[in-house]
Amino acid sequence: MQTLRTLREVTELNTAGQETPREEKEFTRSGPHFSDRITADGRDGWPVEAGRYRLVVSRACPWASRALISRRLLGLEPALSLAVTDPIQDERSWRFTLDKGDRDPVLGIAFLSEAYDAREKEYPGGVSVPAIVDVPSGKLVTNDFQRLTLDFATEWTALHREGAPDLYPEEHRDEIDEVMEGVYQDVNNGVYLAGFAKHQHTYEDAYRALFARLDRLSERLATRRYLVGDTITEADIRLFTTLVRFDAVYNGHFKCNRNKLSEDRVLWGYVRDLFQTPGFGDTVDFDHIKRHYYQVHTAVNPTRIVPVGPDLSVWSTPHGREELGGRPFGDGTPPGPVPPGEEVPEAGRAR
């Protein structure tokens, strides 16, 4: 998720656009400006190194949630520290107002934009999460949300916990990539295309593509527990982060309202199965999610009223997906408890 560096309509926070009249501009998602990779051999100048980097996320953001889940499943918490921003941004970017003194205790900055400026002075683009910052220099390393978690799975292996699952198994990568591309275009990004549409036809096109893809995914998951193979992979992480937000925000706020996710037996069972798997639901903060979407997107929700529902107790109800078989962690094991200080606050937990 991005924040623009100047005051504009808040609904354009995630847009990268050409200089066209505002009333004609449709939502587009920009690629990462900082696409350096942190690799085992350090070929981009950033070697994998325990304790050197800090992962900055918003728990509201589905793209950042991918990194949170991957980090948990792989056991990278001791090697890669975590900074969580306030879900409510302003024109100066993501803020560290959840921390004492309104500054990140490790980086010493008040706004994530300061790490961007340290890397490239007067960088004109959006300030996005997830982001990885080099602690010694205070410089942003990467904001490449598409590549970041794949590198966690393949380049950070020396720092994985014992029993970490293989989230991007080599023998299934072609299929995983194909599934993820459709999920990205029509679901992950599709909800934004619908929610930020400026014209009726644009909205309807995104709406139809979204639900057509969800129908295909529902059919696929009717006979298998996970998207690819019989274990959790990167593809499941990427689908989960949109589905877990669907009824709380996308169904109403973004007008993706053909049906609620809870009305699709297969997808509702699938997302609850993942939510109840260690490493997934224990990273989800529904309070941050709802407050961000309903209070930041003021052109979509000018009253800034945050809905009370939906009922979060349903997330702990039986899903019945075990009967499909599958091994969530393959030959590995579940992650351990959430590290102290990283727990989701009580206000945001499903009860």
Side-chain angles (χ1 to χ4, degrees):
M1 283 188 175
Q2 294 177 336
T3 301
L4 294 188
R5 303 292 291 282
T6 56
L7 284 167
R8 294 188 189 177
E9 280 191 355
V10 185
T11 48
E12 293 182 5
L13 290 175
N14 290 292
T15 68
Q18 304 174 355
E19 292 302 318
T20 55
R22 180 175 294 169
E23 65 272 17
E24 296 179 2
K25 185 182 294 184
E26 289 291 0
F27 174 87
T28 57
R29 186 173 299 283
S30 60
H33 182 76
F34 301 99
S35 57
D36 289 2
R37 295 173 60 190
I38 301 171
T39 57
D41 62 6
R43 56 187 176 271
D44 284 355
W46 307 104
V48 171
E49 184 179 328
R52 176 171 175 177
Y53 306 102
R54 190 155 174 82
L55 174 65
V56 181
V57 303
S58 163
R59 291 191 187 275
C61 171
W63 319 100
S65 290
R66 296 177 179 181
L68 278 170
I69 294 167
S70 179
R71 176 177 173 269
R72 280 276 292 131
L73 295 178
L74 298 173
L76 291 174
E77 296 102 328
L80 179 64
S81 65
L82 180 68
V84 178
T85 67
D86 193 308
I88 307 301
Q89 327 143 253
D90 62 23
E91 71 277 5
R92 295 166 295 180
S93 87
W94 296 99
R95 311 176 295 170
F96 294 106
T97 49
L98 302 180
D99 296 300
K100 185 176 180 180
D102 293 346
R103 289 185 177 273
D104 180 77
V106 173
L107 300 173
I109 58 178
F111 300 93
L112 179 56
S113 58
E114 296 174 58
Y116 279 68
D117 287 338
R119 173 69 184 274
E120 183 177 316
K121 198 66 177 174
E122 298 182 357
Y123 156 67
V127 177
S128 64
V129 288
I132 293 184
V133 179
D134 178 50
V135 174
S137 67
K139 294 180 179 179
L140 179 82
V141 176
T142 181
N143 66 343
D144 189 346
F145 66 94
Q146 295 282 50
R147 186 70 235 179
L148 190 150
T149 50
L150 296 178
D151 283 343
F152 280 176
T154 59
E155 297 288 339
W156 290 65
T157 53
L159 299 177
H160 287 182
R161 66 178 174 87
E162 184 177 355
D166 187 351
L167 298 176
Y168 195 46
E170 193 164 359
E171 67 271 21
H172 292 307
R173 286 182 187 175
D174 288 345
E175 186 178 3
I176 291 171
D177 290 345
E178 181 181 2
V179 170
M180 291 194 304
E181 178 62 21
V183 168
Y184 170 74
Q185 294 293 344
D186 298 331
V187 181
N188 299 150
N189 202 45
V191 292
Y192 286 88
L193 294 173
F196 289 145
K198 302 294 180 66
H199 298 90
Q200 185 71 32
H201 69 87
T202 306
Y203 159 71
E204 290 184 7
D205 288 346
Y207 174 100
R208 293 189 186 99
L210 166 66
F211 282 102
R213 180 68 62 178
L214 289 177
D215 287 344
R216 289 196 291 274
L217 290 166
S218 182
E219 183 178 357
R220 180 186 185 94
L221 288 164
T223 56
R224 59 170 75 192
R225 192 170 179 184
Y226 305 112
L227 283 170
V228 180
D230 67 347
T231 65
I232 291 167
T233 67
E234 175 79 13
D236 297 293
I237 295 173
R238 295 190 180 197
L239 180 57
F240 172 83
T241 58
T242 297
L243 296 188
V244 78
R245 290 162 171 76
F246 200 89
D247 286 4
V249 289
Y250 302 141
N251 178 260
H253 184 59
F254 278 176
K255 307 179 187 69
C256 300
N257 61 354
R258 190 195 73 178
N259 56 268
K260 294 179 179 178
L261 193 71
S262 57
E263 294 168 346
D264 183 305
R265 181 187 62 82
V266 173
L267 292 180
W268 181 229
Y270 167 78
V271 74
R272 281 181 295 139
D273 185 8
L274 291 177
F275 186 88
Q276 294 169 31
T277 300
F280 283 84
D282 54 28
T283 69
V284 176
D285 189 325
F286 285 105
D287 175 59
H288 279 206
I289 290 168
K290 292 200 299 181
R291 285 199 289 127
H292 171 79
Y293 280 92
Y294 287 103
Q295 294 191 322
V296 172
H297 302 155
T298 53
V300 180
N301 183 42
T303 66
R304 301 183 78 240
I305 293 173
V306 179
V308 175
D311 178 10
L312 298 182
S313 66
V314 296
W315 286 98
S316 61
T317 57
H319 51 75
R321 297 281 294 177
E322 303 94 334
E323 65 187 37
L324 295 174
R327 303 173 300 144
F329 303 101
D331 295 328
T333 58
V338 176
E342 294 190 8
E343 303 92 343
V344 172
E346 183 65 29
R349 297 180 197 168
R351 292 172 286 279

